[in-house]
């Protein structure tokens, strides 16, 4: 046995992760269900470093130094269980099995408990950054038993992205914490992408600007507070021309957004925990709406718009308004995502450090962005911060963009441009800051038809009014 780490599952992600380990000087045992992928890795990239290929699981496991560290990088779901079951008979106490796939966190919790009973460590590891990140430095979110991080951590930190010399990898928390945080990362990614798409749509309708022209605006935005991977690729995509037609690429792409499911998982979990992640939810539903083909067909030419024709007098002022509205909406989406992490951390006993999560998202991953530094700073100022946008720095940023945000959402409504994420973020903002919410009326209604009781503003206790009787109040 001479390999320091093993990777099984050599499709795009596993292959690149194995190459990344090898390039960092580790001897890497490699294995795939069908041997052809293992052979092609060695044939194409054997020169990247020291690989130990094996055809059988037994040989693969035997080629790794104990305690073994084995990264599974296969299709999430049943294939992951199949690989774990195949590995188990060959493993020995203290070995560490790492699932780098996009597992749903309840599966990770289940697997961790099962392997712990066998004396094995199981690390559910979120990996973001796609194939490019896997090769050149991803953001890595490992969970599982903390002691496994002592030996595994340095290797993962070695191959992760670095920002200002700091690795984009840290231990997230026990059992499913790593995969949970990766899930929320993807949810935030949904919100971020939807907000950018809405900003593009507003600029398109408001200014009548070409895709390439809007691409230039995103390029300028990327030089400021909004600097991030997603803004950068948006500028690039919008300026790309379709070779076949000579049209803007974005204009020849069918407008039906697909999804693999992490956004849905994030929203489902938020519903379970009762956390309002309206930005992520609207983004997920916006994709669903785009794919609602029969409904869109039924509406076409039938539903009137009764919308105005957008008259922008000051082009630069409008662009700045959209930028400020985008930034504020984005902060709300992140704030909500971090609330969900806090709620889950409390529910499952994970102790997740939110500032550290913002830190490891600064590089390598899809939502990497300059302003994540500010989020880390906010949680360093107060690790129990109940509301990210109420941190003094962010409250100030949002406050300065507030008038622009309101103008944009109002103009979008008047001109019939859908902005579900912009609008719901603003509603969330106004809701969370309201002195008093109409939830009081909801409670009264619930008590009226279902005797669900209510609490009063003026004294402790739970009360019910005899609505169908003499309307006297009783203490429940
Ligand atoms: P895929 O998700 O396309 O999975 C293909 C791999 O799974 C192949 O190695 C295949 O082996 C193996 N596999 C399957 Br399918 N069923 C198996 C089974 N029953 N037993 C053993 N192996 C099995 O690969 P990927 O796109 O590289 O992604 C790998 C993981 O990383 C996934 O969980 C994915 O969600 C996650 N991820 C992907 C990205 C990304 O950008 N693509 C980013 C972050 C995370 P075979 O070659 O023999 O068919």
């Amino acid at each position: 046995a001479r390999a320091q780490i093993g990777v099984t599952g050599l499709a795009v992600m596993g292959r690149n992760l194995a190459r990344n380990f090898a390039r960092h000087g580790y001897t890497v045992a490699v294995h795939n269900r069908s041997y052809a992928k293992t052979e092609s890795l060695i044939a194409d990239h054997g020169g990247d470093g020291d690989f130990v290929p094996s055809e059988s699981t037994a040989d693969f496991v035997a080629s790794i130094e104990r305690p073994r560290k084995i990264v599974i990088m296969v299709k999430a779901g049943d294939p992951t269980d199949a690989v774990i079951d195949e590995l188990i008979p060959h493993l020995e106490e203290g070995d560490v099995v790492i699932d780098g796939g996009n597992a749903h966190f309840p599966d990770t919790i289940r697997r961790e408990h099962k392997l712990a009973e066998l004396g094995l460590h199981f690390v559910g590891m979120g990996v973001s950054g796609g194939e490019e990140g896997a090769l050149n430095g991803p953001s890595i979110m490992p969970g599982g038993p903390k002691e496994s991080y002592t030996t595994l951590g340095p290797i993962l930190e070695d191959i992760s992205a670095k920002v200002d010399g700091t690795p984009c990898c840290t231990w997230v928390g026990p059992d499913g914490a790593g995969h949970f945080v990766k899930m929320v990362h993807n949810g935030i990614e949904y919100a971020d992408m939807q907000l950018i798409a809405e900003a593009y749509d507003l600029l398109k309708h408001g200014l009548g600007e070409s895709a390439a022209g809007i691409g230039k605006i995103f390029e300028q935005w990327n030089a400021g507070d909004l600097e991030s991977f997603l803004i950068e690729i948006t500028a690039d995509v919008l300026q790309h021309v379709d070779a076949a037609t000579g049209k803007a690429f974005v204009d020849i792409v069918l407008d039906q957004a697909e999804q693999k499911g992490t956004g849905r998982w994030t929203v489902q979990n938020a519903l379970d925990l009762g956390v309002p992640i309206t930005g992520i939810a609207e983004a997920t539903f916006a994709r669903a709406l785009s794919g609602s083909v029969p409904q869109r067909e039924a509406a076409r030419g039938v539903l009137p718009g009764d919308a105005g024709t957008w008259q922008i007098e000051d082009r630069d002022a409008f662009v700045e308004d959209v930028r400020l509205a985008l930034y504020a909406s984005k902060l709300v989406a992140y704030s909500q995502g971090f609330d969900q992490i806090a709620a889950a951390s409390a529910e499952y006993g994970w102790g997740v450090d939110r500032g550290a999560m913002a830190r490891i998202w600064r590089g390598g991953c899809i939502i990497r962005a300059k302003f994540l530094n500010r989020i880390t700073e906010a949680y360093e100022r107060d690790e129990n911060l109940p509301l990210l946008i109420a941190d003094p720095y962010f409250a100030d940023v949002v406050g300065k963009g507030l008038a622009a945000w309101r103008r944009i959402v109002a103009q979008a409504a008047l001109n019939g441009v859908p902005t579900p994420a912009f609008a719901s973020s603003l509603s969330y903002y106004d809701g969370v800051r309201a002195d008093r919410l109409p939830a009081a009326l909801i409670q009264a209604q619930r008590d009226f038809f279902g005797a669900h009781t209510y609490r009063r503003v003026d004294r402790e206790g739970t009360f019910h009014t005899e609505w169908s009787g003499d309307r006297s109040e009783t203490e429940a």
Side-chain angles (χ1 to χ4, degrees):
R2 61 186 189 85
Q4 289 144 308
I5 190 141
V7 178
T8 179
L10 302 174
V12 284
M13 289 297 287
R15 179 186 176 100
N16 281 355
L17 214 54
R19 293 178 62 197
N20 190 348
F21 284 123
R23 287 177 176 187
H24 280 84
Y26 296 99
T27 299
V28 191
V30 285
H31 172 266
N32 192 69
R33 177 178 61 175
S34 48
Y35 194 51
K37 279 202 179 77
T38 314
E39 288 177 317
S40 102
L41 167 64
I42 302 302
D44 299 344
H45 304 291
D48 274 356
D50 191 10
F51 295 102
V52 186
S54 295
E55 193 161 357
S56 75
T57 302
D59 289 347
F60 168 64
V61 173
S63 73
I64 306 165
E65 286 172 358
R66 289 186 61 199
R68 303 180 179 90
K69 298 169 197 71
I70 300 177
V71 179
I72 302 174
M73 215 59 197
V74 300
K75 200 173 162 66
D78 293 341
T80 306
D81 284 311
V83 173
I84 292 170
D85 288 343
E86 213 175 300
L87 286 171
I88 285 175
H90 306 284
L91 298 176
E92 291 165 273
E93 197 167 332
D95 286 351
V96 188
V97 176
I98 304 127
D99 174 18
N102 262 338
H104 196 195
F105 77 95
D107 287 337
T108 303
I109 295 175
R110 168 177 59 78
R111 289 168 185 148
E112 198 275 330
H113 292 180
K114 175 177 159 178
L115 267 67
E117 279 176 17
L118 300 171
L120 301 168
H121 295 279
F122 184 75
V123 171
M125 174 174 85
V127 179
S128 178
E131 29 176 326
E132 147 86 24
L135 182 62
N136 297 317
S139 170
I140 311 180
M141 296 150 254
K146 187 164 192 186
E147 54 182 305
S148 63
Y149 198 77
T150 320
T151 51
L152 180 63
I155 305 178
L156 297 179
E157 291 182 9
D158 229 10
I159 66 146
S160 74
K162 312 280 182 302
V163 174
D164 306 332
T166 307
C168 294
C169 173
T170 190
W171 180 69
V172 177
D175 56 62
H179 274 139
F180 183 90
V181 165
K182 170 66 190 338
M183 177 190 79
V184 175
H185 162 285
N186 284 27
I188 292 175
E189 176 185 311
Y190 274 52
D192 220 337
M193 291 168 70
Q194 175 65 23
L195 289 166
I196 289 172
E198 289 178 18
Y200 152 73
D201 212 27
L202 286 161
L203 294 170
K204 182 172 126 180
H205 289 284
L207 301 175
E209 184 73 79
S210 69
I214 300 170
K216 288 267 178 259
I217 295 172
F218 275 93
E219 224 169 72
Q220 286 158 12
W221 288 355
N222 200 43
D225 295 331
L226 284 172
E227 182 185 326
S228 62
F229 172 70
L230 283 171
I231 296 280
E232 182 191 325
I233 65 162
T234 301
D236 191 347
V237 166
L238 289 175
Q239 293 179 74
H240 180 61
V241 174
D242 174 50
T245 59
K247 291 182 180 168
F249 176 76
V250 71
D251 292 333
I252 59 98
V253 177
L254 192 69
D255 61 345
Q256 294 169 24
E258 296 177 8
Q259 50 182 309
K260 280 192 177 168
T262 37
R264 184 177 65 237
W265 289 345
T266 312
V267 178
Q268 284 170 337
N269 171 263
L271 291 171
D272 289 341
L273 296 174
V275 182
I277 53 159
T278 57
I280 298 171
E282 288 293 354
T284 308
F285 284 130
R287 290 194 191 191
L289 188 150
S290 77
S292 300
V293 177
Q295 289 80 0
R296 291 180 65 190
E297 284 301 328
R300 203 181 298 275
V302 172
L303 295 185
D306 197 13
T309 329
W310 218 324
Q311 303 283 351
I312 306 288
E313 275 156 30
D314 185 339
R315 184 186 181 281
D316 291 347
F318 177 71
V319 170
E320 180 60 5
D321 272 6
V322 175
R323 189 187 73 85
L324 289 167
L326 173 59
Y327 194 23
S329 303
K330 187 177 155 110
L331 292 177
V332 165
Y334 278 71
S335 185
Q336 294 175 338
F338 279 97
D339 274 355
Q340 184 172 3
I341 290 174
S345 184
E347 173 78 15
Y348 300 104
W350 287 332
V352 179
D353 174 349
R354 291 172 294 174
M357 297 306 105
R359 190 164 57 240
I360 65 171
W361 288 348
R362 290 181 308 162
C365 65
I366 306 297
I367 64 171
R368 59 184 183 262
K370 198 169 117 184
F371 88 110
L372 285 160
N373 267 325
R374 301 291 192 178
I375 298 186
T376 301
E377 286 164 15
Y379 286 119
E380 278 168 3
R381 276 191 285 277
D382 177 5
E383 64 173 327
N384 297 316
L385 188 66
L387 179 70
L388 184 61
I389 48 168
D391 167 78
Y393 174 79
F394 288 120
D396 185 55
V397 169
V398 176
K400 285 185 176 136
L402 193 51
W405 199 7
R406 294 197 190 287
R407 276 195 294 274
I408 288 297
V409 170
Q411 287 173 346
L414 289 171
N415 292 293
V417 177
T419 53
F422 271 56
S424 71
S425 301
L426 180 56
S427 271
Y428 173 89
Y429 176 84
D430 281 328
V432 80
R433 70 174 192 88
D435 280 339
R436 206 165 148 70
L437 289 167
L441 177 57
I442 306 280
Q443 282 300 85
Q445 290 166 334
R446 294 177 71 244
D447 190 59
F448 189 108
F449 65 69
H452 292 303
T453 74
Y454 52 88
R455 286 176 295 153
R456 299 181 57 99
V457 296
D458 53 358
R459 54 183 203 276
E460 290 292 312
T462 305
F463 303 91
H464 168 60
T465 290
E466 297 296 337
W467 293 99
S468 51
D470 62 359
R471 304 216 158 180
S472 62
E473 184 175 77
T474 52
E475 189 159 0

